[in-house]
């Protein structure tokens, strides 16, 4: 499924098989998660994708062909958003490859997983825990690991607010509850479905994101791309609390009085992931155990999956299945 220009629907096309370069694996795509970042790319809010582009950066694939040093032929691997980092810039050299000056992002700078075949740099692939089916594993690869990084940057909050209850939130909520945190879920006022979903996953409270929180929070994670949530979340956190924005794009943040930030409150974003984030999530997900809720679509219905995400009509995460993978 190919993007030719921002704002256009993806087109189903027959492409030549991708050729793995040195250190790369050829993968048969078993499932590929649909991320909000894909929507930002398709809608033109992220402005520099390669074009034409095969989107998709939550790839669960089976190593086809000869395999590599870490993953032999037939192994199941995951391919996340960070497709490659340069290994030489000051960020890579200081353990912050998520901030690499010359990164390659899967499904943005190189073709991704809305396809039957993909190639990936083996060093940046992740193992997939056996406990997960192909479709169930896909949302771990971005929603899950960006969600986990967002939680880790929030410190060690006893009372955690989660703003926007989609794919990332539904995973991070389970991890947070497992770690003994009290979770408060904030959604659009009229989104009773999302609020019920949050309670099912262990949130002790769920309600309107723009109304006052039921009690002070120690940290808040924002996954919805709505700038007005930033002052709302700052208002909800106690002194010393952190507000962490987990998305790659957000509408403009309205100005707000300094007193919302005063009291050593911290506001920060999360950018991308490191391989260590990915490996941590793959270790802990089966222990929690994180159960992902997915809605599968045949690959050819990628536009419908994106439309459902845009409209906020998904419970959990959308996953595309190439027909060859048995969708
Ligand atoms: Zn770098
Ligand atoms: Zn993503």
């Amino acid at each position: 499924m190919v993007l030719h220009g921002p704002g256009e629907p993806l087109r189903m096309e027959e492409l030549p098989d991708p050729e793995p370069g040195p250190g790369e694996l050829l993968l048969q795509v078993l499932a590929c998660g649909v991320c909000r970042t894909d929507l930002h790319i398709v809608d033109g809010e992220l402005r520099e994708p390669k074009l034409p582009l095969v989107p998709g950066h939550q790839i669960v694939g089976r190593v086809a062909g000869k395999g590599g040093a870490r993953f032999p032929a037939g192994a199941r691997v995951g391919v996340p958003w960070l497709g490659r980092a340069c290994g030489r810039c000051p960020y890579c050299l200081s353990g912050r490859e998520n901030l690499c000056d010359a990164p390659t992002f899967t499904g943005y700078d190189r073709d991704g997983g809305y396809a039957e075949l993909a190639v990936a740099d083996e060093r940046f692939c992740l193992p997939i825990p056996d406990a997960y089916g192909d479709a169930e594993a896909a949302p771990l690869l971005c929603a899950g690991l960006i969600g986990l990084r967002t939680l880790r940057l929030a410190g060690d909050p006893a009372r955690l607010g989660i703003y926007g209850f989609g794919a990332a939130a539904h995973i991070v909520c389970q991890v947070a509850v497992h770690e003994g945190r009290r979770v408060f879920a904030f959604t659009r006022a009229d989104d009773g479905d999302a609020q019920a979903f949050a309670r099912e996953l262990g949130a002790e409270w769920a309600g309107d994101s723009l109304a006052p929180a039921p009690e002070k929070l120690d940290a808040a994670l924002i996954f919805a791309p709505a700038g007005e949530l930033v002052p709302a979340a700052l208002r909800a956190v106690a002194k010393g609390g952190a507000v962490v924005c987990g998305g790659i794009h957000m509408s403009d943040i309205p100005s707000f009085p300094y007193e919302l930030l005063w009291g050593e409150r911290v506001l920060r974003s999360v950018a991308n992931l490191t391989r260590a984030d990915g490996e941590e999530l793959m270790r802990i997900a089966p222990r929690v155990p994180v159960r992902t809720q997915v809605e599968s679509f045949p690959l050819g219905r990628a536009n419908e999956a994106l439309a459902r995400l845009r409209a906020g009509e998904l419970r959990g995460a959308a996953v595309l299945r190439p027909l060859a993978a048995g969708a």
Side-chain angles (χ1 to χ4, degrees):
M1 295 298 289
V2 184
L3 177 71
H4 284 270
E8 293 177 19
L10 306 182
R11 288 190 233 151
M12 184 181 285
E13 291 174 10
E14 194 73 40
L15 301 178
D17 289 357
E19 297 270 349
E24 293 183 336
L25 299 173
L26 175 66
L27 302 173
Q28 184 205 351
V29 178
L30 303 171
C32 184
V34 176
C35 177
R36 184 168 292 280
T37 297
D38 302 340
L39 205 52
H40 293 313
I41 294 167
V42 170
D43 290 346
E45 289 152 340
L46 295 180
R47 290 174 189 280
E48 292 172 348
K50 94 174 190 60
L51 288 173
L53 172 74
V54 178
H57 58 268
Q58 302 186 90
I59 306 171
V60 177
R62 191 172 298 290
V63 178
K66 66 181 173 48
R70 285 174 68 210
F71 297 110
R76 212 165 54 133
V77 303
V79 185
W81 172 243
L82 185 64
R84 184 175 289 147
C86 77
R88 292 184 299 272
C89 75
Y91 295 102
C92 283
L93 293 174
S94 58
R96 295 178 291 168
E97 63 189 8
N98 61 304
L99 300 177
C100 176
D101 282 332
T104 300
F105 294 122
T106 309
Y108 189 63
D109 301 310
R110 71 181 304 171
D111 284 338
Y114 288 18
E116 292 172 306
L117 295 171
V119 295
D121 186 321
E122 185 182 22
R123 296 169 302 163
F124 289 82
C125 291
L126 296 167
I128 299 289
D130 291 338
Y132 290 88
D134 301 329
E136 288 68 33
L140 297 175
L141 289 160
C142 190
L145 57 86
I146 297 286
L148 182 67
R149 184 174 179 86
T150 309
L151 176 62
R152 292 291 178 255
L153 291 187
D156 185 19
R159 297 162 299 181
L160 177 71
I162 301 181
Y163 286 73
F165 213 86
H170 99 283
I171 295 172
V172 81
C173 177
Q174 296 174 62
V175 174
V177 168
H178 175 73
E179 291 174 344
R181 308 183 198 285
R182 298 171 59 204
V183 174
F184 299 76
F186 296 81
T187 76
R188 279 188 292 239
D190 60 355
D191 198 347
D193 260 8
Q195 292 168 15
F197 187 35
R199 283 193 207 92
E200 281 166 33
L201 294 175
E204 70 172 62
W205 177 93
D208 177 2
S209 54
L210 297 176
E215 58 185 279
K216 282 288 181 196
L217 307 172
D218 301 301
L221 317 180
I222 302 181
F223 294 114
E228 69 267 24
L229 295 176
V230 169
L234 281 169
R235 199 168 272 121
V237 298
K239 286 181 287 187
V243 173
V244 188
C245 302
I248 194 169
H249 172 83
M250 186 181 255
S251 58
D252 286 355
I253 300 169
S255 77
F256 53 85
Y258 179 59
E259 67 177 277
L260 293 187
L261 189 61
W262 171 249
E264 299 194 345
R265 292 175 180 85
V266 172
L267 172 63
R268 71 181 300 176
S269 64
V270 165
N272 314 315
L273 67 133
T274 66
R275 282 171 279 184
D277 296 326
E279 272 148 28
E280 182 190 3
L281 181 70
M282 295 308 165
R283 268 196 312 276
I284 68 174
R287 280 195 222 142
V288 169
V290 170
R291 297 193 197 287
T292 57
Q293 180 145 344
V294 302
E295 190 171 338
S296 290
F297 296 78
L299 178 59
R301 283 169 54 199
N303 289 308
E304 183 189 335
L306 288 165
R308 295 272 304 280
L309 176 58
R310 194 184 286 110
E313 291 173 357
L314 292 164
R315 192 176 233 235
V319 175
L320 303 178
R321 305 294 307 269
L323 289 176

